[in-house]
């Protein structure tokens, strides 16, 4: 596949990059700083601004799929507004480029709890992540109103950390996936496996899904 990967130097994006090229795909890494892109065979690093829709669309043309692991940065004081604006720009650029599929890596905050509410609205949700989670939730809501694009939104579990690649995970939809001990966790390497699996063999077109062990 020819994959356009937005945010290829981030915590999740860097793992998607490695997983995709290990399977033989060619990846265009669309980033703010090309010097931070891991130098791997099959990777082309390109400077891109997610907020510049026209330029981004031109750079997306010719790819089979767009995968967005975009994050404005947790230290960005305007993270919510920037996340929403960039997500809308990425969606529009994907359509202008004539690409039919977009996978977006979002947040866990918009997953639903047993009471039917979303975790981001709960009193115990970490304040330092709330604005970013609200931005990601709006990005999901925007995609749910998208009619012409074959989008997919992946919410990771709450516990996402460096770890080994097992190639194993369990799937969920709008509620977290818990193990027998009540944990909802996965390594970032296995999250990348799930993302590239979805890119290669889509199961969640116009749907949100989640994964965990």
């Amino acid at each position: 596949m020819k994959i356009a990967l937005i945010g290829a130097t981030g915590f999740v994006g860097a793992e998607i990059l490695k997983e995709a090229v290990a399977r033989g795909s060619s990846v265009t890494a669309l980033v703010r700083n090309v010097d931070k892109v891991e130098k791997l065979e099959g990777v082309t690093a390109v400077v891109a601004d997610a907020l510049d829709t026209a330029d981004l669309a031109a750079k997306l043309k010719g790819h089979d799929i767009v995968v967005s692991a975009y994050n404005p940065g947790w230290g960005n004081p305007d993270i919510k507004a920037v996340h929403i604006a960039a997500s809308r720009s990425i969606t529009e650029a994907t359509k202008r480029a004539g690409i039919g599929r977009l996978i977006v890596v979002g947040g866990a905050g918009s997953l639903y709890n047993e009471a039917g509410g979303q975790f981001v609205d709960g009193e115990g949700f970490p304040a330092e992540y709330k604005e970013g989670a609200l931005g990601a939730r709006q990005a999901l809501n925007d995609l749910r109103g998208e009619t012409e694009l074959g989008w997919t939104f992946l919410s990771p579990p709450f516990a996402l950390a460096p770890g080994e690649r097992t190639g194993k995970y369990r799937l969920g939809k709008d509620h977290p996936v818990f193990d027998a001990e009540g944990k909802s966790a996965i390594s970032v390497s296995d999250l990348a496996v799930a993302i590239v699996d979805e890119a290669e063999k889509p199961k969640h077109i116009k749907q949100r899904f989640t994964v965990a062990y």
Side-chain angles (χ1 to χ4, degrees), residues 82-108:
V82 174
H83 193 121
I84 293 168
S87 297
R88 290 172 178 169
S89 176
I90 290 166
T91 297
E92 178 61 24
T94 300
K95 292 193 291 184
R96 288 189 196 178
I99 300 170
R101 292 192 60 215
L102 168 66
I103 297 177
V104 175
V105 183

Side-chain angles (χ1 to χ4, degrees), residues 13-85:
E15 291 297 320
I16 300 171
L17 184 73
K18 290 189 287 188
E19 180 67 26
V21 296
R23 299 196 199 186
S25 287
S26 62
V27 180
T28 300
L30 297 151
V31 294
R32 285 170 282 218
N33 185 347
V34 295
D35 294 333
K36 293 183 179 181
V37 177
E38 187 169 352
K39 292 172 176 58
L40 300 169
E41 186 175 351
V43 174
T44 302
V46 175
V47 174
D49 180 355
L51 292 165
D52 188 337
T53 309
D55 182 65
L56 183 60
K59 291 171 178 174
L60 293 179
K61 282 184 179 177
H63 293 86
D64 299 314
I65 187 171
V66 177
V67 178
S68 175
Y70 175 83
N71 188 319
W74 289 106
N76 190 320
D78 298 317
I79 185 171
K80 178 183 174 182
V82 174
H83 193 121
I84 293 168

